[in-house]
């Protein structure tokens, strides 16, 4: 019975109003394909975002045409990151310095990325994560080449991306360049071996439960900030095209995000033939702007193509990547030091990607066995990339996770398609060469928008802990500021760090110039050494958090959902008992509810994570996760 007060408003209505004001409602990224919703506390009344649930409740998994478009969109983001990282590494290379075609180098990198993505989504972390060469591999590679090729880093590369011919008296020869790239490939192999060893030992599974919001949020913030120099470098080649691309991406994803076009044929999720409309502009908010700006650049004849990656001869249509195609990777003490720094930085970045992707898809925190498998298979992908002659390893891609947040859609089926398409491009250097025709402003604009989304997601994660606490304010500010300060100080220092032994110099310079690694390391040390309550740190049950300290503290429904979404695929689910004891950290525990049944999970629960393509949650799905 409601008791009215003098203002005409009931006490119950006031209580509901106060509840709605006390709980912030972030922008929702709906999840799909899960039959059992988490058992939430009574959800407060909230205004639903029409762009999040308008087309999501009545249709089943998307048809293959839409999946192919979404996969092509991710490949454009991956290609932007791939071309950008190789251009930054090769911008001081003399013309003709490579003993092989740049298109073949891109093809080998795409092939290794495709293999790693397929393994990651099938039996790794099981999240729809695209594997790509990240900037965490670029910094040690630049340090390694600068030790042997000092003029490569001192060249005026910040103002031009054109490859130049060094004619100074002390310039390096082409043989020195090729041996240096072989050494970088050796460092990539060492990085993959170390990552694979850490994954097999279960180290990520032991570390990740101790990474709360105050560790993961600084990683995301610094990951967004760390690429601003590279983004500005590419956009500066033609600011008009770059601004046009950014404007189109913002308009499609935000202003037109709720605009829906007539539906295309789909496989219905139930016997009902009703099908809602599709927010096409939001789902294709990367593909459509990139295609428009690409066409405009070609029609105007603007010379903004990365000529540094163009080949003087035509690339073959078919080519089978195999180890030692050009030469075996060169393993030296300096390559070993650079590989260690690559492995540590890529591992910190990947753990941040796991947390971010799981949060965007409203999944529970990745369990220890999923983190360990994911990192181990990423190491396998880096070993393959190094053996194929690539100068970049593979790791979970922040720009691609930012694309998932931007379009508010993530699908394991799409990630599988990305892996298969990448392997197909890797078998055809002529097709892979098409990525080198992407205008430089497009590379900068795509990376800028996706990195900005990652940055904003990091900022939104701070509210999960008590950010008004002096302890937390210090941890956040110190971790972010020092992670951005140290790399800049080392870049501008008049005298390079020198200990008298080159491998130690490479290791220290590489680690101290990795902002994501520094943010993760400082946040982890401060978070786990400065006293603080569980509630203050965002790890207690009193504060809803998608980053629980231990898997055992998760509610029963969350554990069941985690067991369903992160467990091994059905053919591998019964390997726990026959797995050697040291490797059992890679398998779900047999007492997990999803694993006890021993049967396959329904296709809607394991194949498609596309937001909104399953049964609609009552209320806010983000609030359901946070209320646990």
């Amino acid at each position: 019975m409601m008791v009215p007060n003098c203002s005409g408003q009931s006490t119950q209505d006031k209580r509901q109003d106060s509840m709605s004001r006390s709980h912030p409602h972030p922008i929702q990224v709906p999840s799909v394909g899960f039959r059992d919703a988490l058992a939430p506390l009574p959800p407060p009344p909230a205004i639903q975002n029409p762009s999040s649930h308008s087309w999501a409740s009545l249709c089943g998994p998307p048809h293959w045409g839409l999946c192919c478009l979404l996969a092509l969109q991710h490949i454009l983001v991956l290609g932007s990151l791939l071309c950008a990282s190789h251009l930054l590494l090769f911008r001081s290379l003399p013309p003709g310095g490579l003993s092989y075609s740049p298109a073949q180098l891109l093809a080998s990198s795409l092939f290794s990325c495709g293999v790693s993505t397929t393994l990651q989504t099938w039996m790794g972390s099981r999240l729809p994560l695209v594997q790509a060469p990240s900037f965490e591999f670029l910094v040690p590679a630049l340090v390694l080449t600068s030790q042997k090729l000092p003029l490569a880093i001192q060249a005026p590369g910040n103002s031009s991306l054109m490859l130049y011919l060094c004619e100074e008296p002390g310039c390096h020869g082409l043989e020195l360049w090729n041996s240096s790239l072989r050494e970088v490939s050796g460092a990539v192999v060492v990085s993959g071996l170390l990552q694979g060893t850490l994954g097999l030992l279960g180290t990520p599974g032991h570390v990740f439960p101790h990474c709360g919001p105050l560790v993961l949020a600084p990683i995301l913030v610094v990951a967004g900030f760390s690429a601003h120099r590279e983004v500005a470098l590419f956009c500066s080649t033609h600011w008009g095209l770059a601004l046009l691309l950014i404007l189109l991406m913002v308009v499609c994803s935000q202003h037109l995000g709720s605009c829906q076009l007539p539906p295309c044929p789909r496989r219905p999720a139930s016997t009902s033939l009703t099908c809602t409309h599709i927010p096409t502009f939001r789902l294709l908010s990367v593909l459509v702007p990139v295609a428009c700006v690409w066409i405009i650049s070609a029609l105007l004849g603007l010379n903004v193509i990365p000529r540094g990656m163009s080949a003087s001869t035509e690339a073959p249509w078919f080519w089978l990547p195999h180890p030692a195609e050009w030469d075996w990777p060169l393993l030296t003490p300096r390559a070993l030091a650079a590989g260690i720094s690559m492995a540590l930085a890529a591992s910190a970045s990947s753990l941040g990607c796991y947390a971010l992707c799981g949060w965007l898809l409203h999944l529970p925190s990745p369990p220890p066995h999923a983190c360990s498998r994911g990192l181990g298979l990423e190491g396998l992908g880096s070993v393959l990339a190094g053996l194929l002659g690539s100068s970049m390893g593979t790791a979970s891609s922040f720009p691609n996770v930012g694309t998932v947040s931007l379009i508010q859609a993530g699908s394991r089926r799409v990630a599988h398609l990305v892996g298969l398409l990448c392997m197909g491009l890797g078998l055809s250097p002529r097709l892979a060469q098409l990525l080198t025709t992407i205008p430089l402003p497009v590379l900068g604009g795509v990376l800028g928008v996706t990195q900005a989304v990652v940055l904003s997601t990091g900022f939104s994660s701070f509210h999960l802990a008590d950010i008004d606490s002096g302890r937390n304010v210090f941890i956040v500010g110190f971790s972010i500021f020092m992670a951005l300060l140290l790399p800049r100080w080392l870049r501008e220092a008049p005298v390079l760090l020198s200990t008298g032994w080159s491998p130690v110099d490479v290791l220290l310079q590489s680690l101290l110039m990795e902002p994501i690694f520094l943010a993760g390391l400082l946040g982890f040390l401060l978070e786990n050494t400065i006293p603080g309550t569980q509630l203050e740190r965002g790890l207690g049950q009193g504060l809803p958090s998608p980053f629980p300290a231990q898997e055992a503290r998760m509610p029963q429904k969350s554990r069941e959902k985690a067991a369903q979404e992160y467990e091994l695929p059905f053919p591998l689910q019964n390997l726990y008992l026959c797995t050697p004891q040291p490797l059992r950290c890679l398998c779900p525990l047999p007492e997990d509810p999803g694993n006890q049944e021993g049967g396959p999970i329904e296709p809607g629960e394991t194949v498609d994570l596309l937001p909104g393509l399953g049964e609609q949650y009552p209320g806010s799905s983000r609030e359901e996760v946070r209320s646990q």
Side-chain angles (χ1 to χ4, degrees):
M1 177 178 181
M2 296 185 296
V3 181
N5 55 14
C6 59
S7 62
Q9 185 180 19
S10 66
T11 305
Q12 182 177 353
D13 291 340
K14 277 195 168 186
R15 185 182 301 113
Q16 292 179 348
D17 291 342
S18 63
M19 291 175 60
S20 63
R21 289 193 298 266
S22 61
H23 293 274
H25 301 288
I27 296 176
Q28 299 178 10
V29 184
S31 52
V32 217
F34 308 124
R35 297 292 180 183
D36 297 324
L38 300 179
L41 296 175
I47 299 177
Q48 296 296 326
N49 185 358
S51 65
S52 298
H53 295 286
S54 55
W55 63 286
S57 58
L58 299 177
C59 296
H63 63 97
W64 286 102
L66 180 58
C67 284
C68 290
L69 291 177
L70 295 176
L72 180 61
Q73 190 166 239
H74 278 284
I75 287 181
L76 286 176
V77 177
L78 185 152
S80 300
L81 186 60
L82 185 66
C83 293
S85 58
H86 283 83
L87 278 171
L88 292 171
L89 180 61
F90 297 153
R91 59 183 176 182
S92 303
L93 178 65
L98 284 174
S99 58
Y100 41 84
S101 170
Q104 290 178 296
L105 181 64
L106 288 179
S108 65
S109 297
L110 284 170
F111 185 81
S112 59
C113 290
V115 172
S116 182
T117 300
T118 303
L119 292 177
Q120 187 70 231
T121 54
W122 181 58
M123 57 180 299
S125 64
R126 302 280 289 159
L127 291 168
L129 289 169
V130 176
Q131 305 296 297
S134 65
F135 290 128
E136 284 68 49
F137 293 95
L138 178 63
V139 173
L142 290 175
V143 172
L144 188 60
T145 55
S146 67
Q147 293 286 325
K148 182 179 289 188
L149 309 169
L151 294 180
I153 303 301
Q154 297 173 9
N158 289 334
S159 59
S160 174
L161 291 174
M162 297 293 296
L163 301 185
Y164 75 101
L165 179 62
C166 181
E167 298 177 352
E168 297 298 328
C171 281
H172 49 272
L174 301 183
E175 297 80 7
L176 192 59
W177 250 113
N178 286 322
S179 65
S180 180
L181 293 181
R182 289 178 54 207
E183 198 171 17
V184 173
S185 298
V188 172
V189 173
V190 172
S191 168
L193 292 175
L194 181 56
Q195 276 189 290
T197 303
L198 292 177
L200 291 177
L201 295 178
T203 304
H206 295 295
V207 172
F208 189 77
H210 299 282
C211 297
L214 297 180
V215 179
L216 296 172
I219 290 179
L220 301 180
V221 171
V222 172
F225 273 129
S226 61
H228 73 280
R229 294 175 66 251
E230 291 77 10
V231 170
L233 175 63
F234 291 116
C235 291
S236 63
T237 56
H238 198 291
W239 282 107
L241 290 179
L243 292 177
L244 176 61
L245 175 70
I246 293 174
L247 177 63
L248 290 177
M249 292 181 67
V250 171
V251 170
C252 289
S253 62
Q254 306 303 321
H255 298 84
L256 300 180
S258 58
C259 295
Q260 301 171 354
L261 297 181
C264 42
R266 298 171 165 269
R267 179 170 60 87
S270 61
T271 56
S272 175
L273 299 178
T274 307
C275 187
T276 57
H277 295 247
I278 301 173
T280 307
F281 289 104
R282 190 186 71 209
L283 289 177
L284 304 179
S285 56
V286 175
L287 180 62
V288 173
V290 167
C292 292
V293 176
W294 201 342
I295 294 174
I296 292 174
S297 174
L299 293 177
L300 296 179
L302 299 177
N303 189 16
V304 287
I305 296 177
R307 297 184 180 275
M309 297 297 296
S310 61
S312 57
T313 59
E314 291 187 355
W317 280 105
F318 179 78
W319 171 68
L320 183 62
H322 58 276
E325 169 71 18
W326 304 291
D327 212 337
W328 287 101
L330 185 60
L331 297 178
T332 62
R334 297 167 63 257
L336 178 62
I340 293 175
S341 62
M342 287 180 180
L344 295 178
S347 299
S349 174
S350 296
L351 291 180
C353 275
Y354 296 164
L356 175 59
C357 187
W359 186 38
L360 291 175
L361 296 175
H362 310 287
L363 295 174
S365 181
H369 60 82
C371 295
S372 300
R373 291 199 313 266
L375 204 64
L377 289 178
E378 285 186 16
L380 180 61
S382 294
V383 171
L384 177 62
L387 292 177
L388 293 180
S390 176
S391 54
M392 297 288 168
T394 62
S396 297
S397 169
F398 270 120
N400 286 95
V401 180
T403 303
V404 170
S405 179
L406 186 69
I407 68 177
Q408 299 183 13
S411 172
R412 195 178 291 153
R413 175 184 292 178
V414 172
H416 280 302
L417 279 177
V418 171
L420 295 177
L421 290 176
C422 285
M423 286 189 285
L425 290 175
L427 296 176
S428 178
R430 180 72 66 87
L431 295 178
Q433 196 173 9
L434 293 176
L435 296 177
T436 63
T437 63
I438 301 177
L440 291 174
V442 173
L443 301 182
V446 169
L447 294 180
V449 174
T450 53
Q451 292 289 109
V453 175
V454 174
L455 171 66
S456 62
T457 309
F459 279 126
S460 67
S461 305
F462 288 130
H463 78 279
L464 299 172
D466 184 9
I467 198 58
D468 293 329
S469 167
R471 168 193 182 274
N472 295 348
V473 168
F474 172 77
I475 293 176
V476 169
F478 187 82
S479 300
I480 295 178
F481 185 78
M482 296 304 295
L484 297 176
L485 172 67
L486 286 177
R488 183 179 182 88
W489 173 74
L490 285 176
R491 281 195 303 266
E492 299 181 359
V495 179
L496 295 178
L497 183 65
S498 178
T499 61
W501 193 31
S502 180
V504 177
D505 296 342
V506 172
L507 177 62
L508 294 180
Q509 290 183 32
S510 300
L511 290 179
L512 294 179
M513 293 184 69
E514 293 278 12
I516 294 181
F517 169 75
L518 292 175
L521 177 64
L522 293 175
F524 182 82
L525 293 178
L526 294 176
E527 166 73 357
N528 291 279
T529 55
I530 300 178
T533 63
Q534 294 288 92
L535 183 64
E536 187 180 22
R537 299 167 59 187
L539 301 178
Q541 295 188 19
L543 182 65
S545 170
F547 307 114
Q550 296 179 3
E551 188 179 2
R553 296 183 180 180
M554 297 169 60
Q556 181 67 24
K557 288 284 187 178
S558 296
R559 288 199 299 270
E560 293 178 1
K561 188 173 182 179
Q564 292 174 356
E565 299 304 326
Y566 293 111
E567 69 178 354
L568 290 167
F570 176 62
L572 306 177
Q573 287 180 6
N574 298 322
L575 292 180
Y576 182 83
L577 297 179
C578 58
T579 302
Q581 183 65 34
L583 301 181
R584 289 191 176 182
C585 58
L586 306 178
C587 304
L589 297 178
E591 59 265 23
D592 284 345
N595 200 49
Q596 279 182 344
E597 296 174 0
I601 309 299
E602 298 184 19
E605 297 176 332
T606 59
V607 178
D608 296 292
L609 300 180
L610 186 63
L613 294 179
E615 297 183 0
Q616 186 176 5
Y617 283 118
S620 170
S621 56
R622 170 69 58 86
E623 297 301 328
E624 292 174 5
V625 175
R626 292 178 52 203
S627 62
Q628 299 303 315

